[in-house]
C-alpha cells in the first residue's frame, strides 16, 4: 500500500468493476471494508453509485448513503477521479457538518423568535400610547 493510506479522509482506489484495490487507514476505521465499493453503500443507493462512478472518463461528485461501522445510514459526499482503469475516490461525511449547520440555524431561529416578541411588545406599547394621544391629546402632552 502506498502513502495514500495516510489520507486524512476515507480514500479508495477502485478498478473498473468497483473492486477495492487500496484504501486509507481512516477508511478502514470508518467502514467495514470488503471486496467491492458497492458493499459500503446502502443498497438503495447502488444505482446512484453506479451513475457517479460510471463516468469513467472524467471526474464526478455526488452524495451517497453509506454504511459505516457506527451507522447503516451515513450521508457522504464522494468525489471520484478516473485515471485509466483506476478510480480514486474520496468520501467526506456530511453528518457532522449538517449538525453544525442545524445548530447555527437553531440559534438564529431562537434569536428571531426573541426579536419577534420584543417587536410585538414595542408595537403593543406604541399602540397603547398612540391611542392615549388620540383620546386625550391635551393630557398626553403634559
Amino acid at each position: 500500500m502506498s502513502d495514500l493510506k495516510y489520507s486524512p479522509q476515507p480514500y479508495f482506489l477502485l478498478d473498473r468493476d468497483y473492486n477495492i484495490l487500496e484504501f486509507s487507514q481512516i477508511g478502514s476505521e470508518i467502514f467495514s471494508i470488503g471486496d467491492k465499493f458497492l458493499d459500503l453503500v446502502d443498497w438503495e443507493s447502488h444505482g446512484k453509485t453506479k451513475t457517479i462512478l460510471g463516468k469513467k472518463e472524467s471526474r464526478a461528485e455526488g452524495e451517497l448513503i453509506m454504511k459505516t461501522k457506527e451507522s447503516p445510514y451515513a450521508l457522504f459526499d464522494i468525489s471520484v477521479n478516473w485515471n485509466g482503469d483506476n478510480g480514486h475516490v474520496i468520501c467526506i461525511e456530511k453528518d457532522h457538518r449538517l449538525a453544525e449547520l442545524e445548530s447555527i440555524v437553531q440559534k438564529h431561529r431562537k434569536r428571531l423568535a426573541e426579536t419577534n416578541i420584543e417587536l410585538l411588545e414595542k408595537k403593543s406599547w406604541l399602540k397603547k400610547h398612540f391611542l392615549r394621544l388620540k383620546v386625550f391629546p391635551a393630557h398626553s402632552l403634559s
Side-chain angles (χ1 to χ4, degrees), residues 31-49:
F31 299 101
S32 297
I33 298 175
D35 294 329
K36 295 263 190 192
F37 187 78
L38 291 174
D39 295 338
L40 306 178
V41 179
D42 177 63
W43 70 271
E44 290 184 0
S45 295
H46 280 201
K48 189 175 183 181
T49 305

Side-chain angles (χ1 to χ4, degrees), residues 52-86:
I52 295 167
L53 296 179
K55 300 175 182 175
K56 296 180 180 171
E57 275 70 47
S58 63
R59 294 177 55 185
E61 296 178 346
E63 278 184 349
L64 293 177
I65 297 174
M66 300 181 75
K67 300 180 280 188
T68 67
K69 290 179 179 178
E70 292 183 14
S71 171
Y73 304 106
L75 186 61
F76 279 81
D77 277 330
I78 70 158
S79 181
V80 60
N81 190 19
W82 287 93
N83 181 19
D85 289 337
N86 293 323

Side-chain angles (χ1 to χ4, degrees), residues 58-119:
S58 63
R59 294 177 55 185
E61 296 178 346
E63 278 184 349
L64 293 177
I65 297 174
M66 300 181 75
K67 300 180 280 188
T68 67
K69 290 179 179 178
E70 292 183 14
S71 171
Y73 304 106
L75 186 61
F76 279 81
D77 277 330
I78 70 158
S79 181
V80 60
N81 190 19
W82 287 93
N83 181 19
D85 289 337
N86 293 323
H88 302 269
V89 179
I90 297 285
C91 304
I92 300 173
E93 189 169 12
K94 293 183 83 167
D95 289 345
H96 70 280
R97 290 187 291 156
L98 288 175
E100 290 172 18
L101 288 174
E102 286 172 355
S103 172
I104 291 168
V105 168
Q106 189 62 26
K107 286 177 187 175
H108 286 297
R109 281 185 182 155
K110 183 179 177 189
R111 180 63 188 129
L112 283 172
E114 291 169 359
T115 300
N116 284 343
I117 291 170
E118 290 170 10
L119 289 173

Side-chain angles (χ1 to χ4, degrees), residues 1-2 4 11-24 33-37 40 82-89:
M1 192 177 274
S2 65
L4 294 172
Y11 164 85
F12 299 93
L13 179 64
L14 310 179
D15 67 13
R16 294 243 179 224
D17 295 321
Y18 315 126
N19 292 309
I20 298 172
L21 305 175
E22 291 185 41
F23 52 89
S24 64
I33 298 175
D35 294 329
K36 295 263 190 192
F37 187 78
L40 306 178
W82 287 93
N83 181 19
D85 289 337
N86 293 323
H88 302 269
V89 179

